[in-house]
Amino acid sequence: MSVSVGHSDIDSLVLAVRDREARRLIGEAITAYRGGALRSAIMSTWIAVAYDIIAKARELAGQGEAAPRALVTDLDAAIAAKDKRKLQSIESELLDKANSDLELLAPHEYSALARLQEDRHLCAHPAFVVEDELFQPSPELVRAHIVHALQHLLIHAPLQGKSAIARFDADLLGPAFPATAEDIGTFLRARYLDRAKDVLVVNLIKAIIAAPFGAERPKYASKVRTLAVVLREIAKSKTAIYDGIMPAFVAAKVGQIQDDVLLSICPFLESDARLWDWMLEPDRMRIRRLLETADVESLKAHAAFDAFAIPPLSAVLLERFNGFDLTTQISVVSEHPRRELVQPAIDLYSGAGSFRGAEMLGQSVILPTAPFFEQADVEALLGAVRENDQIWYAGGTPDVLEQVFDLTKTILGLTREYWQAFVDGQIARMEGDASEYYAYPGLQQKLAENP
């Protein structure tokens, strides 16, 4: 009697199988299952599993992984020698190798596939005693084996366990790692997160949080902000897993971080402000105290100004900033531009005391913060240019303002009147000569091109 099963979640899973041959093999198992050939279905499912483990081993071996390379070497040697006993031995150990050496499986996944392997043996090597003692798998059992094979192995890339973390580490520290958040997100999804098992996502999250604070932290010193962006992109793609493990993990992990590197948590606070709430109060107190007392070089080295994202810490940092000398303030704004430093940047610019000083401040504090400008900031900037002749007469000011125009074009609908009034005022100031350099002909052109 055939098993009547229509299109189901099995069909959807089959479409997600990575390897074409593995997809064909599991398709044979499904055909046998739906035709009522239940023993054949179990045997075909095991064949698909065995094939997929070997295919993944070859893929990992090609990436230079030692354990997969050893397995593939043994297998190829046995095939070349037609050593049937060795091949049988390799097949019998294949699932254990996939679990322990290749690290492809979580514990519950290994258990489910081990049951498949046992049932395969019962189907392939029946004990001929009496007919009613032969193994008689139920349709439900066969379906479960097929689903487990698909869910636990066939649809996933071979990126589980330590090998995946090592591969990510090499990517992160390599010269080709993406630079923008959008590109990082695309890269992570394609290379690691799409079809990734929960165990990989969990291990990756924990590795990212731990990297700047462990024994190997010096090699991540320049990558902390990148790690924070990576974590944010993982949170977007794997929200349920991220939200499920992070509160308890952050509470435990931050308490283990030594004071001398604790401020490196600040970029992660910028990435997800909830980390502040997930920390225990003693650790929040430690961070506040370090922000109050650390010297400016330590603050910059640990990207501590990213803690502006947390309101209680923003007040501490702004007080520290106001206490710095002028040179230090300029360096902080230039190296760590953010929304909270826009007004201080405009204040610094407004106080320019020379032509060269105005040009330097335009480049070092205005252009870095311009992407964070809001409507009132454009108005304040143009007012500073009008009111300070050292800025207005500086040869580099027109170029600075044209770049600010481009960097704030997304809010042009709100700021056009300010730009137009500024240009009209400069033309009048030059006695109606619109082509005069200090009548800002470049801005005039940009306004005309962006009606």
Side-chain angles (χ1 to χ4, degrees):
M1 179 181 293
S2 66
V3 179
S4 178
V5 180
H7 288 286
S8 65
D9 57 332
I10 289 180
D11 301 284
S12 299
L13 290 169
V14 169
L15 293 176
V17 174
R18 297 174 67 251
D19 187 280
R20 181 181 300 177
E21 181 63 13
R23 190 184 309 126
R24 185 187 69 80
L25 292 170
I26 197 66
E28 292 180 356
I30 293 169
T31 298
Y33 161 63
R34 288 176 171 158
L38 301 182
R39 294 191 189 89
S40 295
I42 288 179
M43 293 175 66
S44 295
T45 301
W46 172 253
I47 291 171
V49 165
Y51 168 83
D52 197 65
I53 291 172
I54 293 170
K56 285 180 167 62
R58 291 190 185 279
E59 188 173 341
L60 290 170
Q63 298 168 10
E65 299 285 347
R69 191 167 56 243
L71 173 59
V72 169
T73 299
D74 285 348
L75 176 63
D76 288 344
I79 292 172
K82 298 182 180 180
D83 188 340
K84 294 181 180 180
R85 183 169 297 179
K86 179 64 174 178
L87 289 170
Q88 290 172 343
S89 174
I90 290 174
E91 182 187 3
S92 68
E93 298 173 354
L94 197 55
L95 193 60
D96 290 335
K97 294 282 188 180
N99 183 51
S100 61
D101 294 355
L102 306 187
E103 298 180 315
L104 298 178
L105 304 169
H108 71 283
E109 296 168 342
Y110 171 74
S111 297
L113 295 181
R115 174 66 189 275
L116 166 65
Q117 187 178 29
E118 292 172 4
D119 289 350
R120 177 265 177 194
H121 293 332
L122 292 174
C123 293
H125 308 291
F128 294 103
V129 183
V130 292
E131 185 176 354
D132 58 3
E133 290 187 14
L134 292 177
F135 178 56
Q136 299 285 351
S138 68
E140 293 76 19
L141 176 63
V142 176
R143 187 182 189 282
H145 282 322
I146 292 172
V147 170
H148 289 156
L150 287 162
Q151 289 181 332
H152 299 337
L153 186 67
L154 302 187
I155 69 172
H156 297 293
L159 293 172
Q160 316 313 318
K162 296 178 182 178
S163 63
I165 303 303
R167 180 175 172 182
F168 170 77
D169 191 67
D171 283 339
L172 173 74
L173 299 175
F177 196 77
T180 68
E182 181 179 359
D183 288 346
I184 288 173
T186 300
F187 179 85
L188 288 173
R189 287 189 295 275
R191 194 163 173 85
Y192 295 98
L193 301 180
D194 287 352
R195 305 177 186 172
K197 296 181 181 179
D198 291 0
V199 65
L200 169 59
V201 179
V202 169
N203 289 340
L204 194 55
I205 289 171
K206 291 181 177 180
I208 288 166
I209 290 287
F213 311 106
E216 295 185 299
R217 61 180 177 266
K219 73 177 184 179
Y220 301 107
S222 64
K223 296 289 186 177
V224 179
R225 275 182 164 160
T226 301
L227 285 166
V229 173
V230 168
L231 190 66
R232 184 173 64 223
E233 294 303 315
I234 293 175
K236 290 179 184 178
S237 295
K238 300 292 182 179
T239 304
I241 299 173
Y242 178 89
D243 289 350
I245 72 162
M246 281 293 283
F249 182 69
V250 168
K253 181 63 182 177
V254 175
Q256 300 168 2
I257 299 173
Q258 299 299 311
D259 288 351
D260 60 337
V261 291
L262 180 57
L263 286 181
S264 288
I265 200 70
C266 293
F268 294 98
L269 295 176
E270 166 77 11
S271 175
D272 186 350
R274 293 177 297 172
L275 267 69
W276 181 251
D277 298 323
W278 294 335
M279 292 179 193
L280 301 178
E281 181 57 27
D283 296 319
R284 290 196 288 262
M285 293 173 64
R286 286 200 296 150
I287 292 173
R288 278 193 294 263
R289 184 57 180 162
L290 288 170
L291 291 177
E292 291 170 349
T293 59
D295 60 64
V296 68
E297 292 307 317
S298 293
L299 293 174
K300 291 196 291 185
H302 293 288
F305 292 99
D306 287 353
F308 266 115
I310 308 301
L313 303 182
S314 180
V316 174
L317 286 171
L318 194 56
E319 183 177 352
R320 290 297 310 275
F321 179 86
N322 291 333
F324 296 150
D325 59 52
L326 185 63
T327 301
T328 301
Q329 287 182 343
I330 293 170
S331 71
V332 169
V333 175
S334 178
E335 296 170 23
H336 302 276
R338 51 183 306 110
R339 171 65 203 159
E340 294 84 358
L341 294 177
V342 167
Q343 188 57 54
I346 294 175
D347 291 342
L348 288 168
Y349 191 54
S350 300
S354 67
F355 301 149
R356 300 289 79 79
E359 292 172 348
M360 181 274 292
L361 288 167
Q363 294 291 331
S364 61
V365 302
I366 295 301
L367 293 184
T369 55
F372 304 99
F373 275 20
E374 296 177 355
Q375 179 181 357
D377 304 316
V378 173
E379 183 181 22
L381 174 68
L382 297 177
V385 177
R386 281 192 298 264
E387 295 166 10
N388 188 332
D389 284 349
Q390 300 300 322
I391 302 176
W392 183 63
Y393 282 114
T397 296
D399 180 60
V400 168
L401 292 187
E402 288 174 32
Q403 291 186 63
V404 171
F405 182 94
D406 290 336
L407 291 168
T408 61
K409 196 175 292 185
T410 56
I411 57 171
L412 183 57
L414 300 173
T415 61
R416 170 177 289 281
E417 62 178 300
Y418 304 138
W419 290 107
Q420 192 64 59
F422 175 80
V423 168
D424 292 344
Q426 298 310 104
I427 293 173
R429 194 169 180 175
M430 301 310 298
E431 299 181 348
D433 187 352
S435 65
E436 186 71 35
Y437 182 75
Y438 291 106
Y440 298 90
L443 276 180
Q444 296 177 48
Q445 182 65 31
K446 288 181 178 293
L447 282 167
E449 293 172 350
N450 295 273

